[in-house]
Amino acid sequence: MSKRALRYSLVAMIAFLIGFGMVRSPSVHAATNERVLLVYDSQNTTAKANQKIATLQRALTSLNLRVKTIKESDYQSGELTGYDGVITMINWPKAELTNHQFVRDRQKFKGIKLHIGDNLTSAEAAELGVKQHRIYQQQLILKNQGTSQLLPFSETMTVVDRLPKKAKTIGKLSTQQANQKTTSYGLIVGKTGYLPYFSTKGLSLLAAVQTLAALFGRTATYQPLLTISNVTPYSHLKNLDRLSRYCERMGIPFAISTVSVSQNTELHAFKVFAAYLRRVEDRGGIVFIQTPIVGGATAANAQELNDMFTSYLVSLARYQVYPVGISAPGYWNQDRVLRQNSLKKADHWLLLPNTSDQTYLKQDDNAQTAKMSLLAVSASSLNDVRQTENTVKFNSPTAVTVKLPDTATQVHNTERQLQQLNYSWLDPAVNWQTEFISGSTDVEYQRGNYLLNGQRETVTADHVTTATSNSGTPNQQVLFKGFFKLQGVLIAGFFTIVLVVMLIFIYLGRRIYRNMFRR
């Protein structure tokens, strides 16, 4: 072979290896490239409408839809170009839409359109082919596919009737009077839909997701994944042990969402924490690593966040704990820096409700998708859903969450709650294939088996020796909290120096003053 041919062969081989993925990253691309523009009128925090926006974002992500969120007043002419769907969300009915460019573009838009809330325009009603009217002072019952739930009291609501024959409805809203009056909840006519309201929990949320799924052509149904949330190294881990043992005994597959630490992982307390997590894995449970609380950080701290997740993965894998994915409040997917340096490391996400405070590093409101994103729904919001046997339907990947109990009594209550829900739970060991890569560490979960950097690993559950540091005080590691600690030390030092200088000046001044009157 000539030198030139050899050189070309080497170049071709290098190009092949790079293209094949010598430096691998998890498969976090969407199965489709469908994009949705979510346009809201107001966050209306007084009515907690900001939580509704965040829940809708998580629901759309769980349906594998990329979502860009903007305020109606910020919309610019032609911005709908390139989107497959547009959702109008009304959170403050007293304020009419004022951006005529958006109203005009939405009316001309040929893709999927959904209106949520009041202020349905006459043009939208005509496109749906319905008549609209308002109802007042009602506490309605939502019924859907053999399930029902009593809704909170509603001051007013816009409902529709005289539906066209081609209309598809999801759920019925019924009054409580003897002569019950009913109206549809979710409505779909062709590529246009309507929801009279949106809720962050319960049967209303499930019916809203079903409407979204039908509108965007998602036909699959899913078994929910039981997930024990609020686990930390400082939790009552014996209660985690009791609850996981109950799940194993009852044949309930489950997951946990836990925070970890990136420092002091050589201490005995961390070994105890890891031992409890190994027991979870040994009993058929899987582990999601939850993102830390963010405080005092900027976009410049991206590498520190990146390194923190590498430390999580390495320190846990050292003790045979192999996380299958990442759990995070929904707003982490609305921030480019947070998303890129955490969520993008895994191809399975568990999207939790937002915490009361959100700290953004570089907010872009441009949610991305993963191989699978699970919508977290609290089990407590489903407790009073009446159903015939196994009639609750989940139309997107869903995690039904229960908080880790603090006491033995609460463990018993949670066990009874799971018995009453009586769901057919998802078993990840049947067909889940996940990957979590951070730094040079690659953890895979292949239908119940764990692989570390391509090598199959065996989880061995051993006896747990309780550490005295396991105080049971729930905490989360706070990202960049040292920023505030350092500020406090510097301020304290500054005032100490000022105080010493002032005392010296007082002493010298007193001496000078006394010397003035000496003879």
Side-chain angles (χ1 to χ4, degrees), residues 408-471:
T409 301
Q410 290 180 5
V411 172
H412 177 70
N413 292 340
T414 301
E415 293 172 356
R416 187 169 55 185
Q417 179 185 26
L418 296 179
Q419 291 174 0
Q420 292 173 346
L421 289 176
N422 192 32
Y423 293 157
S424 175
W425 299 103
L426 169 70
D427 185 0
V430 174
N431 58 13
W432 266 31
Q433 299 184 61
T434 75
E435 190 168 26
F436 189 157
I437 300 175
S438 191
S440 60
T441 304
D442 181 359
V443 172
E444 295 178 80
Y445 178 79
Q446 302 285 349
R447 297 185 178 91
N449 298 312
Y450 293 99
L451 284 77
L452 178 61
N453 295 327
Q455 299 297 316
R456 183 171 173 176
E457 299 290 330
T458 302
V459 176
T460 305
D462 50 13
H463 177 70
V464 178
T465 303
T466 304
T468 56
S469 62
N470 190 8
S471 63

Side-chain angles (χ1 to χ4, degrees), residues 293 295-296 304 476-486:
I293 295 174
E304 188 172 347
Q476 280 195 20
Q477 184 178 8
V478 180
L479 180 60
F480 315 125
K481 67 178 179 180
F483 173 84
F484 298 106
K485 184 177 179 181
L486 178 60

Side-chain angles (χ1 to χ4, degrees), residues 313-339:
L313 202 58
V314 170
S315 59
L316 289 171
R318 185 183 301 125
Y319 295 106
Q320 296 181 319
V321 178
Y322 306 108
V324 304
I326 293 176
S327 58
Y331 82 92
W332 279 65
N333 196 23
Q334 308 299 324
D335 185 294
R336 185 174 64 83
V337 172
L338 295 177
R339 180 175 59 243

Side-chain angles (χ1 to χ4, degrees), residues 90 96 106 115 117-136 156-164 183-184 187 194-196:
I90 303 299
E96 298 286 338
R106 182 185 62 180
H115 184 107
D118 290 326
N119 296 355
L120 188 70
T121 66
S122 56
E124 289 177 303
E127 191 170 4
L128 288 166
V130 300
K131 298 294 183 181
Q132 59 175 313
H133 66 276
R134 300 183 70 82
I135 58 175
Y136 301 91
T156 179
M157 184 185 301
T158 300
V159 297
V160 296
D161 54 20
R162 300 183 185 178
L163 309 184
T183 185
S184 62
L187 172 65
Y194 176 65
L195 288 171

